Amino acid sequence: MRKILIVGGGYAGFYAAWKLEKKLRRDEAEVTVVDPRPYMTYQPFLPEVVAGSIEARHAAVSLRRHLHRTRIITGMVDAIDHKRRSVTIRRAGGDPFEQGYDVVVVTAGAVTRKFPVPGIAEQAIGLKHVEEAVAIRDRLLTSFDRAAVLPPGPHRQKLLTATFVGGGFSGVEGFAELLSLATALLKRYPELHRDELRFHLVEASGRILPEVTDSPGRWVVRFLRRRGAQVHLDTQIRSMTGGHVVLSTGEEFDSELIVWTAGNAANPVVEKHTDLPVDERGFVVARPDLRVGTDAEPVPDAWAAGDDAAIEDLTSPIPGTRTVPNAQHAVRQGKLLARNIVATMRSGKPKNYRHHSLGSIATLGIGHGIFQYRRLVIKGPIAWLMHRGYHVLAVPSWERKVRVLVIWLTAGLFGRDILSLASVQHPRDAFVDGGEPAALLNRTSQDRTSPC
């Protein structure tokens, strides 16, 4: 049997493996997926995990539960040597080892783009994985608990200040959902006041949500400001050392929570540790049929899809335009990739990837959203319902659809859960400290200054 190795278990990798299982005969090929996490994160749900509207586990899809005939290796691919048809895999707590293959599928995904800002490594949290969404939510809830027992002053103000860097869909949705949660929390904290909340959204360009046109983007800015947010356009972060944020405009403030969502960058494995062709940004060069290489220089037995692949958008009127890194493309590319691999194995011809956008939709907190398809723009509760309806249908497997729908219905009846489990990040503290008050207070102080 041919050995097919899929590097990455995100959207494209998961759907490619899922479809290969359905299309390949049992004796036709052996499929292996390598990913450091044993699940696929459904990223459109992360803002609602931040807001407590969705249980964290329901925003993830277990690879082992749904890929019954695929070998799952939980580890990080350190290097891809296609000339030798081999990858180097590093397991947590184990020595690196090599894994051979006949066909490689590169769906490693992109990583959060970072800049050399002082304090970023110590203070910022990303919003690309379930763990990060949970940490953001717990950090806010814990800050409310601490602020409620403090007198008004700089320390209390810092605890009630949150900063998001990046005005793309991930940043705006996460920011709006967290603001919605914070506003709702005030009913449970009579010691705190609405005017003490400080929510800052920092965007380096002159607009947010580049996926929509100018007018809807400006409407979202006005909407956020009406809800008390401070939106800083044409502004960059100069420093965040110790939680003290310094903006390029000269404004300074202390922020307990800093979330970094400033775009995507190439996966280091793809950019630096492979002999496959990459473009100037570090993404794998792939043809429209998802085979790696170009028409003039194809690379045999290598495929790529998703956020780490540079694929021409054949639906764009501008030649050379690449497909944007989003879930719509990754899911559909993963499915097509599986069909094309099976077709080539059976002497068929692969098809080119073409997908016309279904529009852009964003949630802005419970009951609020925005949707745009070409010139059609829908705002408010209808857009919010469309967002929920689309994503509950899009999340893979009926098991996950039902779980998410039940959580939404439960939250509609009883409200969202506001319990913080920040202590789960240090599960042995209570056991080690033995309940000593001084030790516990010291741990709490350390948690406040350490990144989640």
Side-chain angles (χ1 to χ4, degrees), residues 387-409:
H387 178 275
R388 288 203 159 184
Y390 171 79
H391 285 298
V392 79
L393 292 175
V395 67
S397 83
W398 280 102
E399 172 256 344
R400 273 297 178 264
K401 298 180 197 297
V402 173
R403 288 182 186 273
V404 170
L405 190 59
V406 169
I407 288 292
W408 277 339
L409 293 175

Side-chain angles (χ1 to χ4, degrees), residues 254-265:
D254 291 328
S255 181
E256 177 69 10
L257 174 62
I258 302 174
V259 183
W260 189 274
T261 62
N264 294 324

Side-chain angles (χ1 to χ4, degrees), residues 4-32:
I4 302 173
L5 180 73
I6 301 176
V7 180
Y11 288 118
F14 172 80
Y15 275 96
W18 208 18
K19 293 300 179 182
L20 283 170
E21 283 192 349
K22 296 178 180 180
K23 293 182 176 297
L24 289 170
R25 299 187 299 271
R26 289 185 176 273
D27 60 348
E28 199 168 7
E30 176 186 280
V31 181
T32 300

Side-chain angles (χ1 to χ4, degrees), residues 47 113 127 164-176 201-205 207-212 220 224 233 260-264 361-364:
R113 181 177 57 183
L127 186 52
F164 275 64
V165 184
F169 259 83
S170 177
V172 170
E173 288 189 308
F175 180 80
L201 177 63
V202 182
E203 168 56 38
S205 68
R207 53 166 298 183
I208 62 173
L209 297 178
E211 296 86 350
V212 303
V220 174
L224 294 174
L233 301 178
W260 189 274
T261 62
N264 294 324
I361 192 166
T363 174
L364 302 172

Side-chain angles (χ1 to χ4, degrees), residues 211-213 216 328 356-361 370-378 386:
E211 296 86 350
V212 303
T213 55
Q328 281 190 39
H356 293 275
S357 174
L358 300 176
S360 299
I361 192 166
I370 186 168
F371 167 78
Q372 181 177 22
Y373 177 72
R374 298 181 180 177
R375 296 185 178 181
L376 174 64
V377 177
I378 300 175
M386 291 172 63

